[in-house]
Amino acid sequence: MRGEMSGIPITDEKLIIAIKHNDYVSYNNLFVRYYTRLCRYVYRLLPDKEETEDIVQELFMNLWNHRNKIEITVNVSGYLYKMARNLTLNHIRNTKKHQELSEYHEHIAAYTEEDQFESDEFRIALYDCIDRLPPRSREVLLLHRIEGLKQKEIAEKLSIAIKTIKNQIWSSLQSLKACLERKGI
């Protein structure tokens, strides 16, 4: 880090080498150097400030968590932008799948209310499937579907990231669907 103090900037490549050797100061320097730029880049792909910041923070968390496996020797900037692009596209894909699944489940819920909700067999099967969910997933699903809390409210109430809440709801709905299908409902 002496190079930066003397006015000579440390290259991205040297920062990456230092990060691989668990140098948190170098990691922080890389973060400060690229965070705003990467947020602007991701925001052009996904114009949601909160989700943009989450994605860029996830990028840097992944970078630190996998620092021992990093194999970047040149063009660190290009690597970071590509990583940001991939995380953003994955997020968009997952969000689209989540929305499609939510619409599907709303359709099923409407169908259920009209034709099957009165059926004891359906209720018993549904409650059995809900009981089979992991405790945290069950809690999140019930807060969302029964109490009508929004994902952000659940995240605040349980002190969990919104992305985790979204994933748990999606995963729970997938599990319920599969469980009900196995039961022939």
Side-chain angles (χ1 to χ4, degrees), residues 3-17:
E4 273 190 26
M5 290 180 187
S6 65
I8 302 169
I10 304 257
T11 65
D12 293 345
E13 290 74 20
K14 287 184 180 176
L15 289 175
I16 289 295
I17 292 168

Side-chain angles (χ1 to χ4, degrees), residues 2-185:
R2 278 183 273 144
E4 273 190 26
M5 290 180 187
S6 65
I8 302 169
I10 304 257
T11 65
D12 293 345
E13 290 74 20
K14 287 184 180 176
L15 289 175
I16 289 295
I17 292 168
I19 291 168
K20 283 182 76 161
H21 292 94
N22 302 321
D23 183 352
Y24 190 78
V25 173
S26 294
Y27 168 76
N28 194 45
N29 284 335
L30 193 71
F31 179 89
V32 168
R33 188 177 288 180
Y34 281 98
Y35 181 79
T36 303
R37 290 189 246 176
L38 290 171
C39 281
R40 279 194 302 260
Y41 174 71
V42 170
Y43 189 79
R44 286 190 304 231
L45 300 170
L46 179 68
D48 180 306
K49 187 176 187 287
E50 198 171 286
E51 288 181 350
T52 293
E53 291 173 351
D54 286 348
I55 288 168
V56 175
Q57 288 172 6
E58 181 181 353
L59 180 152
F60 280 101
M61 284 175 36
N62 288 344
L63 187 68
W64 181 253
N65 290 337
H66 301 289
R67 63 190 174 276
N68 298 326
K69 299 174 188 171
I70 297 174
E71 294 298 327
I72 312 167
T73 53
V74 293
N75 197 6
V76 173
S77 174
Y79 180 86
L80 293 174
Y81 279 95
K82 185 174 184 177
M83 200 172 162
R85 182 179 148 281
N86 290 341
L87 285 171
T88 303
L89 293 176
N90 286 342
H91 174 78
I92 291 169
R93 238 180 269 123
N94 290 339
T95 301
K96 184 177 179 187
K97 285 179 188 173
H98 175 72
Q99 288 171 340
E100 289 172 358
L101 189 60
S102 291
E103 290 170 6
Y104 172 74
H105 285 285
E106 286 172 13
H107 174 72
I108 286 177
Y111 172 77
T112 300
E113 287 173 12
E114 294 169 11
D115 299 328
Q116 277 190 317
F117 196 76
E118 296 302 317
S119 161
D120 287 339
E121 180 184 336
F122 176 76
R123 260 187 262 138
I124 291 168
L126 179 62
Y127 291 147
D128 182 56
C129 291
I130 290 172
D131 287 340
R132 292 172 188 255
L133 292 172
R136 180 61 80 153
S137 296
R138 183 173 52 244
E139 180 181 21
V140 168
L141 182 70
L142 293 175
L143 287 171
H144 183 63
R145 293 293 176 156
I146 304 300
E147 293 188 27
L149 295 179
K150 296 184 182 200
Q151 293 173 357
K152 186 174 183 178
E153 294 170 318
I154 297 169
E156 291 170 0
K157 181 174 183 167
L158 301 178
S159 301
I160 301 175
I162 291 178
K163 186 171 185 166
T164 302
I165 297 298
K166 288 178 184 180
N167 289 340
Q168 283 188 341
I169 291 170
W170 184 83
S171 176
S172 296
L173 292 174
Q174 286 290 93
S175 295
L176 287 178
K177 179 183 172 198
C179 181
L180 290 171
E181 286 176 351
R182 281 193 303 273
K183 292 179 178 284
I185 294 178

